[in-house]
Amino acid sequence: MDRKKGNYKVTYLILEHNYILHLPETSHLMASQRKISEIQRFEIESADDAGIRPKAAHGLASLQVGGSHNLSYTLRDHKNYLRGKRQREMAYGQTGSMLMYFQEKIAENPSFQYALQMDREEQIANIFWVDAKMLTDYAYFGDVVSFDTTFGTNKESRPFGVFVGFNHFRETVVFGAVLMYDETYESFKWLFETFLKAHDGEQPKTIYTDQDSAMEKTVKEVFLEAWHGLCTFHIMQNAVKHLAEPDNEEPSTSPNHASESCDKEPSILSDFSACMYEYEDEATFEHAFNIMRIRASKQIWLDSIYKVKEKWAECYMQDVFTLGMRSTQLSESLNSDLKRYFKYDFDIIRFFKRFERLVEDIRNNELNAEFESRKKIPRIKMRTPMLIQASKVYTPSIFEAFQGEYERSMAACTTALEGNNEYLVAIGSLGERCTFEKEYKVIGNPLEQTSTCSCGQFNRIGILCGHALKVLDLMNIKSLPLQYVLKRWTRKARSGTVQDNQGRKIIEDPRLGDMLRFKYVTCKFLHLAHRAASHPSCTDNTLDILSKKVEEEISGCTNTTDTPAAPMNVKSGEYSLPKEKGGGNKNLKAQKNLA
C-alpha cells in the first residue's frame, strides 16, 4: 500500500485459486448482485395489491427482462421484500397502521371520511369509512339501501358490514363499510347515525337488513323517514332451517320457487315462498299463512316471523319504493365476492387494500355497462313514439323492462267505469287458451297527463306498468309524461355536482390527471427504451442526458399546489383493538372521529 497516494499496488499474482469461482450463469444469484430498485419495488407492490401471487409476479418480471438471470433479484428476495413491507406497515401495531392508512387516504382526497367508536377503556370498537365515490353514489342512488353483516372477516370473526344499492344499470354500488366489534344496539345506533352524518343527513326511502332485534330497534330510531324491510334471502334461509322436513330433499332458497316436495302436495317451503312473493291481497295471505301454520310441525319460528309480516310479505309492500329489490341479489352476490377477495389471516392493512380491489371491480361493472350502452342501439320491437323516446332516455336494462310493460299493454283489455277516464284493466297472456290476469283499476287525467294504477308498480319500482300505459294510450297520450321518468333510471342519472358534509365539491379521483400523464409518459418511454436497447451509445449517454434534463425541469418548476398534510404520527400502543369478541366493556362512548 502506498500510504501517500492511499492506494494498493499488485506485486504478485497467483493464477490458481483455493476455491471454485461462480460461473457467469449463476453470478446473478450472489448476494452482492441482488438488489431491488425503486421501480421494481413499485411493480412488486402493485402486483401484490392486485392479488397476484409472488411466484406469478416474479415470473412475469423475469419474462419482461428476458429471463430470471437478467433480473436483479430472486423469488426469495421478492417474498422477503413483501414480508418486510408488511412488517414495516405494522410497526405501529394494527391500530396505528390503520390510522396512518386513513390519513394517507385523506391526504389523497379530503372527501374521504372515517369514524371510530371507542369503548370505556379507550379501545377502538367499531370502524366506519366511506370514500368520495361512495358519497357521490349515495347522492345519486341512495333511495334504496341494503345493509348486511353476515360476513365475518378474520379469525376473530369481526362482523363486516357493507351498505349497498342499485345504480341506473341495476348494478351494485357501495355506499359505505364498517368493521364491527359486536352487533349490539349501541353499536348499530352509532353506525347508522355516523352513516347519515357522512352522507350529510340524507335519509333513504327504504332500507333492508337481516332479521336482528337490535338492528330493527335502531333502524326505527335513526332512519325516521325510511321504510324498513327484511332481507328475503336470509328469511328463506331461516325457513329452510326451521320448516324443512327431514325426509324431504333439502329445498332451494330461491326467491321465486322453493324446492318441490317429493309428494304431490306442495311442500311447506313452497307455501311460505308463495306467502312471501305471490299473494297481493292481505286476506288471501292471511288465509294461506294460517293453513301453512296448521301444517307445520313447529310453529314457534312462524309465529315470530308473522309478527313482522309487513316487512317481508308482498301484499304489505304495495306502496313501498323498493326498485324491485328484495335484498336477495345484493346479499348473495356481494358475500360471494367477499369470500373470493378475503382470507381469515389478513392483517388490517391487507384487508383494506383487498376491499379497495373489490369496490374497484364493482365500479368497473358500471363502466362496462356504460360502454355497452353507448356502443349498441337499443332493440326497439315497435317503433312507436313512446318507445323511441324511452330508448333514448332510459339505460338499456331499464328500457328492456319498460318495453316489456309496453308490450303487455298491447295485450290488455279494458272495461270503462262510470267516472271519467276510469277503467278496469286486465292483461292477457297468450298460450293454448287466452287467459287474463287480475283486473286493476286505473284512473287517468288527460289534462295533467297522469295514469294512476291500483297495482302500484310505479310507486314501487319507478317504471310504469302495462295497465297505466294502456290508459295513456286510450287518452291519446303517445309520449311518456316527464313525471313518469325517474332520473335515477336514466342515462343522465349522474349529472350534477355533489358536495360532501363540509360543503366541498366532491372530486372522485383527484389523481386522475397525474395517472393519465403517467400512462402517456410510460408509453413514450417504453417505446424509447425498445429503440435505444439495441444501441449501447444511446443507453449510456443519451438517456443520461435526458434524465438530467428532466431533473432540471422538475427543480425549476414553481410549486403552485398546496402540500398535503402529512399523516399523523401514531405511537405504538396508543390504541389497541379488542383481542376477544366476547370480552371487554360493551358500553360504548360517543363517537370519536379521529379524521
Side-chain angles (χ1 to χ4, degrees), residues 424-441:
L424 288 179
V425 182
I427 296 178
S429 58
L430 297 177
E432 294 182 2
R433 294 194 315 170
C434 183
T435 58
F436 288 90
E437 300 174 1
K438 176 182 175 181
E439 287 184 322
Y440 292 94
K441 183 178 180 179

Side-chain angles (χ1 to χ4, degrees), residues 43-73:
E43 291 174 345
I44 291 173
E45 292 175 13
S46 298
D48 184 59
D49 291 342
I52 302 175
R53 295 183 178 276
K55 185 175 182 180
H58 183 267
L60 175 61
S62 299
L63 287 174
Q64 290 176 333
V65 295
S68 60
H69 57 280
N70 292 328
L71 199 61
S72 61
Y73 61 91

Side-chain angles (χ1 to χ4, degrees), residues 20 48 60 121 141 157 171 190 205 231 271 286 289 302 308 338 378 382 499 518 566 594:
I20 300 174
D48 184 59
L60 175 61
E121 298 174 358
F141 309 112
S157 295
E171 300 281 356
W190 171 86
K205 295 180 180 179
C231 173
D271 293 341
E286 295 290 344
F289 195 92
L302 278 176
V308 290
L338 290 170
M382 294 174 281
Q499 294 181 336
F518 177 78
L594 301 187

Side-chain angles (χ1 to χ4, degrees), residues 94-95 98 123-125 127 158 348 575-580:
Q94 291 224 44
T95 305
M98 175 189 69
Q123 292 183 327
I124 296 176
I127 308 159
R158 287 175 64 93
I348 193 73
Y575 296 105
S576 59
L577 288 169
K579 294 182 179 179
E580 297 183 3

Side-chain angles (χ1 to χ4, degrees), residues 65-81:
V65 295
S68 60
H69 57 280
N70 292 328
L71 199 61
S72 61
Y73 61 91
T74 63
L75 177 58
R76 179 178 294 179
D77 297 330
H78 187 121
K79 294 179 178 179
N80 287 341
Y81 174 77

Side-chain angles (χ1 to χ4, degrees), residues 243-256:
L243 301 180
E245 299 177 8
D247 294 335
N248 295 341
E249 296 180 0
E250 185 177 337
S252 169
T253 59
S254 167
N256 295 322

Side-chain angles (χ1 to χ4, degrees), residues 86-157:
R86 289 167 189 153
Q87 290 173 350
R88 290 192 298 273
E89 287 176 343
M90 302 306 296
Y92 296 114
Q94 291 224 44
T95 305
S97 300
M98 175 189 69
L99 295 177
M100 293 182 71
Y101 169 85
F102 284 149
Q103 288 299 311
E104 290 171 359
K105 288 296 178 183
I106 292 174
E108 293 175 4
N109 193 328
S111 293
F112 183 95
Q113 299 179 42
Y114 74 93
L116 310 174
Q117 186 186 30
M118 320 293 286
D119 63 14
R120 291 196 312 190
E121 298 174 358
E122 294 296 314
Q123 292 183 327
I124 296 176
N126 299 314
I127 308 159
F128 171 81
W129 70 100
V130 57
D131 65 20
K133 186 72 165 60
M134 295 175 188
L135 295 176
T136 56
D137 285 342
Y138 185 82
Y140 295 130
F141 309 112
D143 40 18
V144 180
V145 175
S146 174
F147 176 67
D148 186 25
T149 59
T150 57
F151 184 79
T153 58
N154 55 19
K155 56 188 176 184
E156 298 173 2
S157 295

